[in-house]
Amino acid sequence: MDDHLLGWLRTLDEERLGRVLANRPDAIAAPWPRRLDPLAKRLGNGFAVIEALRSLPLPCLELAQACLVIPAPTAGKLATFLSTDPGELGPWLDHLYDHALAWPDPDGVIHVAEAVSRWWAAPLGLGEPLDHYLNSWTISNDTLRAMSRHLGLPPHGNKRRTLLRVAEVLGDVGRMEALLRNAPEGTREFLDAFAWDGPVRDVDGDRFVMPATPEKWAGDHGLLYRPNWHTAEMPREVALCLRGPGYHPPFSPRPPEVATIPVDPEEVDHLMTLAAPHVVERCAALLDNTSKTPLPLLKTGGVGVREVRRVAKETGCDEDETRLLLEICAVARLLSWDEPSGGMVPTDRFDRWRLDEGAARLRVLLSAWWRMERSSLRRVDGKFGTVLGDDQSGSSIARVRRAVLTGLAHLPSGHAFADRGSLVRNVHWHAPLLDQALLAETAAAVLDEARLLGLLANDALTDLGRALSGLAAHAGDEADDAVPLVEHDPVLAEASTRALASVRRSALFGPDLTAVVTGPPAAELAALLDRVAERESRGAASVWRFTTESVRRALDEGYDADELLEELSGVGAIPQPLEYMVRDVARRHGEVTVTTVGCIVQASDPALLAEIAGHRRLTRLGLRLLAPTVLVSSAPAERTLAALREHGYSPVPIADTGEIAIRRTRIEEPQSGKLILLPGGQVAELSDQETEQPLHIPEPVPDPAEHARRLITAKESSVPTGRTWAIIGRMATRLPTGQQSLLGFVVDRGVRAGITLTDGLTATISHGELRGAALDAWCEEAGDYLEFPLAEIVEVRATY
């Protein structure tokens, strides 16, 4: 823990501390700290500090680097070093302070979080301070005295005084220039490469021992230090002297301007209402396709291009759309590998998902895309990656996706970006720690994906995209089965409901055996029409055509004529020609029956059966007439059925009992689950399956302002004095010595442990404190701090 940080936290008022907690929710995540010293420890955690740095814009990072370079930096020194007005620095320094990544001491000296200095080994492209090299064990007293002689310093005196003299010479611009005037030819150019493109570079180690070479001269005068034979490093002070007094690091307080053009908000909304229902409908179609034909994987992992194209053709999607939606379905756990099937098939969650209302289905898909660690449409060397294959960029892809959408959210409403290059530069200013090459390479793919999902239209963010961009902090990881904070976010829920408000749940049936849906069809309507008709076109209006084959296909799936007509009449008025065709196909459907023996073909009309037996193109079935109404086929039943249907007959399979064997699979609606309370007062319903394996929903973060008030009040309270082990040994008399020790670790180190009380109550606790004869600890089951009497604890066990 940084004592400077703790001291600064103690000086903050309630408002400033509340801002720090609001910007660093990781510091007050459950179990939240109850005093300032554990808060300071959390704020200084290395991983948390780096995550906080990722959220800062470029000026904050430029200031942080300058603070690491300047000794004892103050606001005035920073303004001089950056050659800018002190007023320009104030807001950005406050931004660093509000994230507890830097803070001023009473003298105005700015301290940077220790994790930042450890992570930033070469701020502004500068190396370690000179003291780091001069105090190294590799610098002997003889080497130090020889360096002093080369610098024109008296070699006598103790080591500390010699170090100060050497540092004074090497940190002075005038003396450095005087030294370089007597250096061998080429020394300045050689050293400039380290000063501007260093601080570590590969060198020819042999030249450091050859007389009159720039390398040997630089090493003898302490301008370069070699950690190994072929590598040299330049100290920070030397590089700054070589850069000269006119050097000022870049400072960019204003973001690059994004070229924009005005767009019609109503048209953007209209395109959103077309794209969003299409996504839900196409996902359902893709998953239905994989339920019939499992999606095989390559030996090297992922789905092959041939399979992607097959699925795209069979479902009517284009290839890009298929790539994206397959990966989204896999991340959403709607599609997974099934060993018996030998491929990817829909999961049980798909059955529950398809029964949910459309807006909820859309949010599940958007949440999956938001945390997906692959970019389906990114090209590397001109080629797409393998669908569902590994991507080395991993989580960086997800961060780029969220940064791009957040950057689009900064554009004023009613405006779209006119130039992708200016957008990428603006995004990099807001998220400078992103890999710039990866950002430039992936931005186009992210924008294309956003267009397909209805998040972007006419190069402007839709209401759906704007709602999703505000959830970057709650995106979760690809490994998460679900992210309730995104899927149940009220703003996203409202936007998704509005995006699907224009879906059509009815169709116009024409006497020419067509069905027209003027607008985006609801997923249920599209599934019904796809089942009984052939889709001819899609877009602003979708058209289906009813044919004998398409109606027969529906009958083959287990529907009868009355069921089909009842469902179709529920979405529109059925014209007489359509009803006649359905009933005529249904009348002929089953006039030929097939029984498996090898198999048997039967018909009530002897003339019809004689026609089949004499059909020249059915000879491959090996049909033999057993009786006027009975044929025997040498082919299996499935092959016989297919051949008869191919040549215009309408057979149906018959079971051994003599009944028609067509059975339509019905998806039973899951019973109502239990209601759970989500953070922020939101409520969600878990099914029975999810209740058995509940979602891991994080405890809600306390209100920052209210928690700041509690911390300021608690910071003066005294911690109980006395030895932890002595108090536990005296009070927890029901526990053996080993369990008393484990309970002591709960207090001293905050470890997790399970306890049992005398009344049989069990709890998982951590971060305990001793308060008299009770243990005040965080209880995971209650989601709060509770007191447990030490005398009533009968068991303590390790919990992992």
Side-chain angles (χ1 to χ4, degrees), residues 100 124 204 207 256 335 397 466 550 724 756-757:
L124 299 178
D204 181 357
R207 292 182 60 82
L335 188 68
I397 294 286
R466 205 170 291 276
S550 65
T724 299
T756 303
L757 303 181

Side-chain angles (χ1 to χ4, degrees), residues 344-583:
M344 303 285 287
V345 298
T347 63
D348 292 340
R349 192 183 185 195
F350 168 60
D351 294 335
R352 301 191 297 272
W353 175 83
R354 74 185 309 170
L355 293 174
D356 211 339
E357 53 100 14
R361 278 179 278 172
L362 177 61
R363 293 196 299 274
V364 169
L365 300 176
L366 294 180
S367 174
W369 180 75
W370 201 226
R371 66 182 185 271
M372 190 168 73
E373 296 182 356
R374 290 180 301 277
S375 178
S376 308
L377 305 183
R378 180 168 71 109
R379 293 179 183 269
V380 179
D381 297 330
K383 297 180 180 178
F384 286 124
T386 304
V387 175
L388 297 178
D390 293 332
D391 194 321
Q392 294 182 348
S393 300
S395 58
S396 297
I397 294 286
R399 283 196 289 269
V400 167
R401 177 181 295 116
R402 296 192 279 267
V404 169
L405 249 68
T406 304
L408 287 169
H410 293 141
L411 299 181
S413 180
H415 286 75
F417 70 91
D419 173 48
R420 192 173 70 233
S422 64
L423 174 65
V424 168
R425 289 189 293 272
N426 182 274
V427 170
H428 187 259
W429 185 90
H430 285 96
L433 290 186
L434 288 177
D435 185 326
Q436 196 164 4
L438 180 65
L439 171 61
E441 181 184 84
T442 310
V446 169
L447 295 173
D448 289 340
E449 293 170 9
R451 290 187 188 96
L452 289 174
L453 296 174
L455 305 172
L456 192 70
N458 286 347
D459 291 337
L461 212 57
T462 64
D463 290 343
L464 200 60
R466 205 170 291 276
L468 188 63
S469 67
L471 299 172
H474 308 297
D477 298 320
E478 188 175 277
D480 297 332
D481 289 343
V483 182
L485 291 180
V486 175
E487 296 174 11
H488 299 282
D489 178 73
V491 178
L492 185 61
E494 180 183 353
S496 59
T497 302
R498 192 164 58 253
L500 297 178
S502 65
V503 296
R504 299 291 186 263
R505 303 186 184 278
S506 61
L508 300 175
F509 295 101
D512 59 347
L513 302 180
T514 60
V516 179
V517 179
T518 56
E524 297 81 2
L525 175 59
L528 170 62
L529 295 176
D530 283 338
R531 186 166 57 241
V532 74
E534 303 289 351
R535 191 186 295 229
E536 291 189 339
S537 67
R538 60 180 83 238
S542 300
V543 179
W544 283 262
R545 182 170 297 278
F546 294 88
T547 65
T548 302
E549 291 76 14
S550 65
V551 174
R552 188 184 65 203
R553 185 176 65 235
L555 297 174
D556 290 340
E557 292 179 0
Y559 292 85
D560 59 35
D562 291 335
E563 278 185 295
L564 284 177
L565 292 172
E566 181 182 355
E567 290 192 27
L568 291 173
S569 64
V571 297
I574 300 178
Q576 199 173 53
L578 176 58
E579 182 177 358
Y580 283 171
M581 188 189 76
V582 172
R583 293 198 180 280

Side-chain angles (χ1 to χ4, degrees), residues 141-152:
N141 289 335
D142 290 341
T143 302
L144 192 59
R145 281 194 290 268
M147 187 186 301
S148 299
R149 284 195 299 270
H150 286 108
L151 293 174

Side-chain angles (χ1 to χ4, degrees), residues 232-302:
E233 301 177 8
M234 177 173 283
R236 183 176 301 172
E237 293 84 348
V238 174
L240 284 173
C241 285
L242 291 172
R243 291 183 183 185
Y247 166 70
H248 299 288
F251 182 61
S252 312
R254 281 167 288 279
E257 186 176 351
V258 180
T260 60
I261 55 174
V263 292
D264 183 3
E266 292 185 0
E267 185 179 356
V268 171
D269 285 343
H270 174 66
L271 292 175
M272 174 186 72
T273 59
L274 291 179
H278 181 76
V279 170
V280 178
E281 176 207 337
R282 290 298 86 198
C283 276
L286 286 173
L287 291 166
D288 280 333
N289 181 274
T290 57
S291 68
K292 298 172 185 175
T293 308
L295 199 62
L297 299 181
L298 300 171
K299 292 182 179 180
T300 55

Side-chain angles (χ1 to χ4, degrees), residues 93 213 219 352 460 662 682 784:
L93 283 174
T213 61
R352 301 191 297 272
I662 294 179
Q682 304 166 48
D784 204 348

